[in-house]
Amino acid sequence: MSTAGEGSVASALAAARKRLQAAGIDDPLLDVRLLIAEVVGFSLTDFVMKPDRPVTVEENARIVAMIERRASGEPVHRILGHREFHGLDLLLSKETLEPRPDTEVLVDTLLPALRKIVSAKGSARILDMGTGTGAICLALLKECPEATGIGSDISIDALETATKNAARNGLGKRFETIRSDWFEKISGRFDIIVSNPPYIRTDVVATLDQEVRNYDPMAALDGGQDGLAPYRLIAADADRFLVENGIVGVEIGFDQRLDVSAIFASHGFSLLDAVKDYGGNDRVLTFRR
């Protein structure tokens, strides 16, 4: 791609799209629009309304640099440094998993239960284990002003990012972070314990799509030899940290519903709900003891 001179948004778009097509990127148009929009401050409709808007030399240089990163396989939202999730704009960092639309299903599954708890007692406490960007807990807090939450993670980088995301979305007063290896440093009791834990089998991690394998943090993907290690840890200890009738909600891999249900059943939990994602795969399980 050329960096010389000024052009228009339309010409930058055409050049960028051609570059990504040559690099074998699927659906390059959406990627190109997202990256160019970030540089020139466009909404997606602006591309239709203002295609002739001039692009400065500096803007073009930034666009070219971003497009080259995308051409090398780096995911769009890693390049942007942030991603929309359930109506929140969330910063990403090296040690946070990029929140995916399927995880919004976990938020939407828990919301009715959260609202019910709040209407019964006026408040609710949430624990989000392996919080990463803070996505799950912050989305629940946004939807339910009476709730407060703790995001726990082993990664300091993730906790710093989650704290920034809480502040960025006006939720800082109701969200705090704790560095903890699962329940190790957690105290108190919660109405809802939620987690999108690492659930991919160690031997499968190496076969994942390069955009996941090379850019999402390994610690957020690898669920041990059978992919179920985190569920065993959560199920074994959750009861000590739940209020009476409290709920556990977890995201799972597409083929883990029976195994994860059995793990929780062995610790006295009964399955409340099993919910599929947008692709029709099992994705979310909720339990009550």
Side-chain angles (χ1 to χ4, degrees), residues 91-97 130-135 151-165 175 177-179 217 220:
L91 298 169
L92 307 175
S93 57
K94 193 168 161 31
E95 292 180 26
T96 59
L97 194 67
T131 196
T133 58
S152 73
D153 210 292
I154 194 76
S155 160
I156 292 171
D157 170 78
L159 295 174
E160 286 172 355
T161 302
T163 301
K164 284 181 197 160
N165 281 330
F175 178 78
T177 59
I178 292 179
R179 189 178 188 207

Side-chain angles (χ1 to χ4, degrees), residues 243-260:
V243 301
E244 196 178 348
N245 287 324
I247 291 170
V248 178
V250 291
E251 181 169 326
I252 58 166
F254 70 96
D255 57 354
Q256 292 177 322
R257 180 171 61 93
L258 296 175
D259 287 337
V260 174

Side-chain angles (χ1 to χ4, degrees), residues 20 25 35 76 120 135 150 161 164 177 199 203 210 288:
L20 292 191
I25 300 292
L35 294 169
V76 169
I150 289 177
T161 302
K164 284 181 197 160
T177 59
Y199 54 67
D203 64 329
Q210 66 144 358
R288 180 177 272 145

